[in-house]
Amino acid sequence: MDRRSFLRGGLMLGCSAAAMPFLNHATFASVPGDNRLVVVILRGALDGLDLLRPAGAPELSALRPTLAAEPGLPLDNFYHLHPSLEGLMPLWRAGDLGFVDAVSTPYRDRRSHFDGQNLLEAGTAMDAPRQLQREGWLNRLLQVMPGAHGSTAFAIGREAMPVLDGPAPVPSWAPDTELRVGQQGRRLLAALYELDAGFSEAGMQALALSQSLDPVEGEGGGHLAQVDAFARFAAARLSEDTRIVALSLAGWDTHAGQAQSIRRPLERLERLILSLRAELGPVWERTTILAMTEFGRTVRENGTRGTDHGTAGAMLTAGGAVRGGRVLGRWPGLGESDLYAGRDLMPTADVRAHAAWALRGLFGTERAMLEQAVFPGLDLGRDPGLLDI
Amino acid sequence: MPPATTLQAIRFGDGLRAGDPPGLAPAAQLDGPDAMQRRYPGPSTSALEAMRRELVATRRQLQEVEDDSAGADGPSGSLEEMLRGHRRALADEDLATVQRTFARALDSDTPYRERLVRFWAGHFAVRAMPRIFRAAVSSYIDEAIRPHVTGRFDAMLRAAVLHPIMLRYLDQAGSTGPSSPFGQRQGRGLNENLARELLELHTLGADGPYGQDDVHQLAKLLTGLGVDQQAQMVFRRRRAEPGSFTVLGRRYGGGRPSLADIEAALIDLAAHPHTARHLSHKLAAHFIADEPPPALVDDLAATWRESAGDLRAVALALAEHPAAQSADRAKARQPLGLLVAALGALGVTGAEVMRWNRSLVRQVIVHPLIAMGQPWQEPRGPDGWPEHFGHWITPQGLAARIDWAMTTPARLRRRLPDARDFVDHALGDLADDDLRRLVAGAENNTEGVGLVLASPGFNRC
């Protein structure tokens, strides 16, 4: 029996490494436990109400006349999944896909992507000292994780991953495929060029020629190659001694024509999850994927059939280690008085608490450590039962 | 002298370095030694020529071996290995010239000087043939252009026109006086290429007061100029056309053919009032506007004439002219200048560029320059790079600029500055509110940084 299968066997009995004090730490010197975590930062503010549609809410179709028009995929008697994610339905049925609704970070009111992402990845409150905000919560986890070493965590992709930034060294890897700029990036470029007569004509054509921008329409499956490369690399590392990977998917800033513009990012998210499952093989059973975003979007469709920056949204969980097939979280309602600032979904839980409970379950990190060191000042509250390990 | 303003740093340099304008006002950048050539020295033309000759010799040996053995396995394997080694060595020299050029531009306290080097190198444009010898263009610039950008125009003209790379490029090395001893014996004759470009491009300009006769006479006068085995300029009297030649009404030669006759003609061409006018217009069109204000051109031409072609005085007059203070940035940054400016805004230093491996130099600079329409050291012809805005801001060229802006910064910097701060790093007080607003609306920081670099404001100078 090799060490890995020994560990797996042990853990399948319901123990985690930290909960087995009779095992010498040295045994785990190169492997802090046998569970795996994939953190996916969805940059640009995913519209939780479109991913995870509250179809049972009577206000939905009036608030979102075009976005809710196409029927979704029924998950239970209240929620529907976005119709383009049919590939994830087998996971839902197998209990390998779940959601937490109406969650947010402590970020409020300013609704800036940059600041929102910084706070999500720092894992702090808004008023935390600057120095603390420059470290990511996964890095702080590594600093307190018994047996963590130089390849316990990996950052994947060219995009910076502040969630892993900090004193603990974290290697990074990026595939040769290029970054891609989503619809919002294209719109901002177009706006810039329109403002300058010398650039307006060439600019509009350049947007069609540029290799780094997502094509407006058509097949263009090339954008999935990058996601496959992410998944292959992540799975290879996670099958060795890496336990945590973090990466980001962009393209969620769907201010206009969201019924179309959200499809590509959703395709990429679906592909990432399915690719990871295929590549991880048996390790999938010990894997938890947490996909989280900086904030949600407005409950009302705007004048360009998109949505603007909001507050609460949804977190997606996937993997053999999650207790899926359920939507967690307390639904706040879509009535006028239920909304935050009269426009956004009201947050009913802190997304950090769910991430913290996942760390507790996956790596046995003590509650006090999570509340003081990893997410300073966070109140974990009750165990939401995210995992089934 | 006060420090340079943002506008000066962009107009007479390559922009800000992580938010700061490098150096003093441009007028104060024209004196003192050339610190950058000292910090990042390159190989001489003759050193590169020695490498090229080894390559040629190896290729000849290989050819002989292959001819002898006619397909059988012989000693050609190690020769092929050697040939590859020579090729790689020259290709590495070429990439090193890219790194040095960027390192100088990124570290210089006198960026105006670097811009003047690029302007004059474009004015006396050459290409090195074959392409594997491309590093020699940079040696030519270091030897013939750089030492003279704040010196006298007649000295630069002499250095550039008589440089072996120029003599080869414009076919002068093969031009022979038909009545010279060598021409008579070999039946060789004139090539007018250099003579024509000397009048049309280098000095008087296409609308200058010269005719075909002047071109022909000058071509005869230039015979004898050649390039030896060590890539040194030589004067071969036996190839020089005997007699005297009249160019623009002045007689040259008549005695024993000599280099001094050619030099006398170059001095007169340099001092011609049409040369002053032609080059004043060209400088103003390069730095200020494709169609420069006539008053600016007049004033520069007057300075040129009064100073007898003192390029320091002309550069000073240009930087201090009221027309150069206009807030309207009407020029498009050429791709090379755009990349220097973008790297500078990101805080990339010369030392860092010098440490890049080959692959990174190609990915970050060489390939993007091709995509943006300005392949490294390969202008289309002896007239150098076009000036006008519409040549550079094309759909293809702009798409390549967007691609660089969106993908390269993240490759160079794991943690990029906050895009809202980067607006200031790149454009300082010249950033407008529209740009700030749109950048703040980017969905992630990489795109925000990319927006700044792809913006019209950053692509103008």
Side-chain angles (χ1 to χ4, degrees):
Chain A
M1 188 190 221
D2 68 26
R3 188 182 58 184
R4 182 163 296 118
S5 54
F6 164 72
L7 286 173
R8 191 170 298 139
L11 289 160
M12 275 175 359
L13 294 171
C15 305
S16 73
M20 296 196 288
F22 54 91
L23 283 176
N24 187 328
H25 268 325
T27 316
F28 295 96
S30 67
V31 184
D34 199 30
N35 291 316
R36 276 78 167 177
L37 173 65
V38 178
V39 171
V40 184
I41 304 291
L42 305 172
R43 297 190 192 284
L46 157 74
D47 184 14
L49 294 171
D50 203 2
L51 170 76
L52 181 68
R53 299 175 173 186
E59 302 89 348
L60 186 69
S61 54
L63 289 166
R64 301 184 153 222
T66 70
L67 297 183
E70 187 185 350
L73 308 162
L75 294 174
D76 55 25
N77 54 22
F78 184 75
Y79 285 110
H80 288 182
L81 185 63
H82 190 282
S84 67
L85 294 176
E86 195 148 16
L88 293 182
M89 285 307 286
L91 272 68
W92 170 263
R93 287 190 285 267
D96 284 359
L97 176 70
F99 299 91
V100 188
D101 203 10
V103 287
S104 77
T105 70
Y107 186 63
R108 291 291 182 277
D109 301 332
R110 297 283 306 281
R111 300 186 178 88
S112 147
H113 292 300
F114 303 150
D115 296 336
Q117 287 167 34
N118 285 344
L119 206 69
L120 170 66
E121 296 181 72
T124 64
M126 276 179 92
D127 55 2
R130 287 284 290 180
Q131 186 49 43
L132 211 52
Q133 295 201 35
R134 274 198 280 271
E135 279 180 20
W137 52 268
L138 280 178
N139 194 283
R140 286 197 296 272
L141 172 71
L142 290 172
Q143 295 170 44
V144 301
M145 194 181 215
H149 56 89
S151 54
T152 296
F154 248 91
I156 296 185
R158 291 210 194 286
E159 181 77 21
M161 292 303 303
V163 70
L164 277 168
D165 278 358
V170 176
S172 63
W173 174 87
D176 284 335
T177 48
E178 298 289 344
L179 285 171
R180 291 218 163 236
V181 177
Q183 296 303 311
Q184 170 69 353
R186 173 188 294 276
R187 227 180 358 263
L188 293 172
L189 279 168
L192 270 176
Y193 294 143
E194 267 166 24
L195 289 166
D196 188 312
F199 285 77
S200 54
E201 205 183 315
M204 295 312 117
Q205 295 178 58
L207 293 181
L209 294 171
S210 171
Q211 312 256 317
S212 59
L213 306 186
D214 261 357
V216 181
E217 51 199 20
E219 260 309 294
H223 68 124
L224 297 177
Q226 183 192 43
V227 172
D228 287 340
F230 283 176
R232 263 195 307 278
F233 181 84
R237 295 304 317 180
L238 291 170
S239 300
E240 299 291 330
D241 59 353
T242 293
R243 290 296 171 265
I244 298 170
V245 300
L247 57 97
S248 65
L249 295 179
W252 305 99
D253 200 15
T254 48
H255 284 283
Q258 178 171 317
Q260 285 75 43
S261 60
I262 202 170
R263 283 182 185 273
R264 272 176 191 279
L266 284 175
E267 259 177 60
R268 281 194 282 258
L269 179 59
E270 178 186 275
R271 182 68 163 252
L272 177 72
I273 294 167
L274 295 179
S275 260
L276 277 170
R277 187 181 58 164
E279 298 280 344
L280 281 166
V283 177
W284 172 258
E285 291 307 319
R286 320 271 349 149
T287 299
T288 297
I289 301 169
L290 300 179
M292 49 220 294
T293 193
E294 65 262 33
F295 41 71
R297 307 188 73 85
T298 49
V299 299
R300 288 181 197 83
E301 200 173 306
N302 66 18
T304 55
R305 300 186 171 183
T307 51
D308 297 315
H309 300 182
T311 308
M315 174 165 87
L316 176 150
T317 62
V322 307
R323 190 185 299 169
R326 305 177 303 157
V327 178
L328 300 176
R330 191 165 66 77
W331 173 247
L334 289 178
E336 195 64 42
S337 60
D338 301 326
L339 303 181
Y340 179 82
R343 49 173 277 162
D344 303 339
L345 189 67
M346 178 70 77
T348 56
D350 191 323
V351 71
R352 297 176 301 159
H354 288 85
W357 279 107
L359 300 184
R360 171 114 189 81
L362 291 168
F363 305 115
T365 317
E366 295 299 335
R367 179 177 183 137
M369 203 69 101
L370 291 165
E371 291 183 331
Q372 288 155 31
V374 180
F375 296 103
L378 176 70
D379 176 2
L380 251 64
R382 278 201 5 247
D383 184 354
L386 215 54
L387 309 182
D388 61 5
I389 50 173
Chain B
M1 269 292 175
T5 64
T6 305
L7 184 66
Q8 287 170 328
I10 291 172
R11 181 162 287 158
F12 296 109
D14 288 309
L16 305 180
R17 301 227 180 100
D20 296 319
L24 301 174
Q29 296 182 18
L30 300 169
D31 301 303
D34 184 350
M36 284 301 107
Q37 184 158 17
R38 273 186 217 176
R39 189 183 302 177
Y40 299 111
S44 67
T45 306
S46 46
L48 292 172
E49 177 72 5
M51 294 173 69
R52 190 179 76 93
R53 280 169 53 218
E54 282 181 47
L55 184 150
V56 171
T58 306
R59 195 164 48 207
R60 192 172 300 132
Q61 274 177 283
L62 186 62
Q63 191 62 50
E64 284 164 8
V65 170
E66 281 174 352
D67 289 350
D68 290 351
S69 55
D73 283 346
S76 60
S78 62
L79 282 171
E80 277 168 6
E81 188 69 21
M82 272 175 70
L83 187 61
R84 270 197 298 278
H86 292 320
R87 283 217 179 91
R88 170 170 300 190
L90 277 168
D92 285 351
E93 287 292 347
D94 183 47
L95 283 182
T97 66
V98 176
Q99 286 169 287
R100 268 193 298 275
T101 302
F102 274 74
R104 290 171 181 177
L106 286 166
D107 283 3
S108 179
D109 290 333
T110 55
Y112 189 20
R113 187 192 278 266
E114 300 300 322
R115 286 286 309 274
L116 288 166
V117 170
R118 297 213 292 270
F119 169 79
W120 287 112
H123 176 67
F124 289 109
V126 296
R127 289 175 64 162
M129 273 144 337
R131 179 184 265 175
I132 189 76
F133 198 46
R134 198 166 59 178
V137 175
S138 300
S139 304
Y140 155 83
I141 293 169
D142 281 358
E143 288 159 2
I145 305 296
R146 253 191 114 86
H148 303 292
V149 293
T150 55
R152 291 177 53 83
F153 177 71
D154 51 14
M156 186 191 286
L157 180 69
R158 184 192 181 284
V161 169
L162 300 186
H163 194 279
I165 299 296
M166 178 70 85
L167 295 174
R168 277 187 188 156
Y169 175 53
L170 291 180
D171 307 314
Q172 188 59 39
S175 180
T176 305
S179 311
S180 68
F182 186 79
Q184 292 272 301
R185 205 177 64 234
Q186 303 283 328
R188 299 278 192 85
L190 283 182
N191 185 314
E192 292 182 351
N193 202 1
L194 177 63
R196 181 178 307 282
E197 304 305 11
L198 186 46
L199 295 172
E200 176 186 327
L201 298 177
H202 300 158
T203 59
L204 306 177
D207 55 355
Y210 66 92
Q212 174 56 32
D213 274 356
D214 295 302
V215 173
H216 193 70
Q217 293 279 304
L218 182 58
K220 286 184 178 172
L221 176 63
L222 293 177
T223 54
L225 288 175
V227 180
D228 72 6
Q229 289 275 300
Q230 279 72 45
Q232 303 285 334
M233 185 272 286
V234 288
F235 184 75
R236 296 193 172 105
R237 191 165 290 118
R238 288 172 49 74
R239 295 185 186 218
E241 185 75 354
S244 67
F245 310 99
T246 305
V247 181
L248 302 176
R250 289 201 188 194
R251 277 166 58 94
Y252 302 95
R256 208 165 114 89
S258 77
L259 188 59
D261 298 333
I262 296 170
E263 289 171 326
L266 291 178
I267 285 170
D268 288 343
L269 286 172
H272 199 285
H274 264 84
T275 299
R277 178 110 209 133
H278 172 214
L279 295 186
S280 295
H281 186 277
K282 197 166 175 177
L283 271 163
H286 180 80
F287 284 96
I288 307 299
D290 294 351
E291 302 296 336
L296 170 62
V297 179
D298 290 346
D299 292 345
L300 292 182
T303 303
W304 186 296
R305 284 190 305 269
E306 285 155 18
S307 70
D310 178 349
L311 298 182
R312 183 190 171 284
V314 176
L316 188 67
L318 173 63
E320 302 220 299
H321 198 278
Q325 321 311 319
S326 156
D328 182 24
R329 290 182 292 136
K331 296 288 300 178
R333 266 181 172 150
Q334 292 185 12
L336 187 89
L338 173 74
L339 293 188
V340 173
L343 294 171
L346 290 164
V348 175
T349 63
E352 187 179 340
V353 172
M354 295 305 287
R355 283 196 302 272
W356 289 355
N357 62 28
R358 290 190 206 105
S359 152
L360 199 58
V361 178
R362 290 198 191 95
Q363 284 174 45
V364 175
I365 301 177
V366 179
H367 297 161
L369 282 178
I370 294 168
M372 294 176 193
Q374 194 169 40
W376 175 245
Q377 305 294 41
E378 290 183 8
R380 315 179 291 187
D383 50 346
W385 299 109
E387 278 300 338
H388 59 280
F389 190 93
H391 178 85
W392 299 110
I393 305 304
T394 61
Q396 289 79 6
L398 193 50
R401 291 174 189 235
I402 293 169
D403 290 339
W404 196 98
M406 292 295 173
T407 60
T408 307
R411 186 175 287 169
L412 296 174
R413 290 281 181 270
R414 183 83 214 154
R415 190 85 196 247
L416 289 168
D418 189 305
R420 292 162 296 183
D421 299 330
F422 187 68
V423 176
D424 294 303
H425 298 186
L427 284 163
D429 48 356
L430 294 184
D432 60 43
D433 291 344
D434 287 322
L435 180 62
R436 289 182 194 282
R437 176 176 54 80
L438 291 168
V439 166
E443 73 168 5
N444 62 60
N445 199 51
T446 307
E447 283 186 26
V449 168
L451 276 172
V452 176
L453 297 176
S455 70
F458 194 75
N459 283 269
R460 288 179 173 277
C461 66

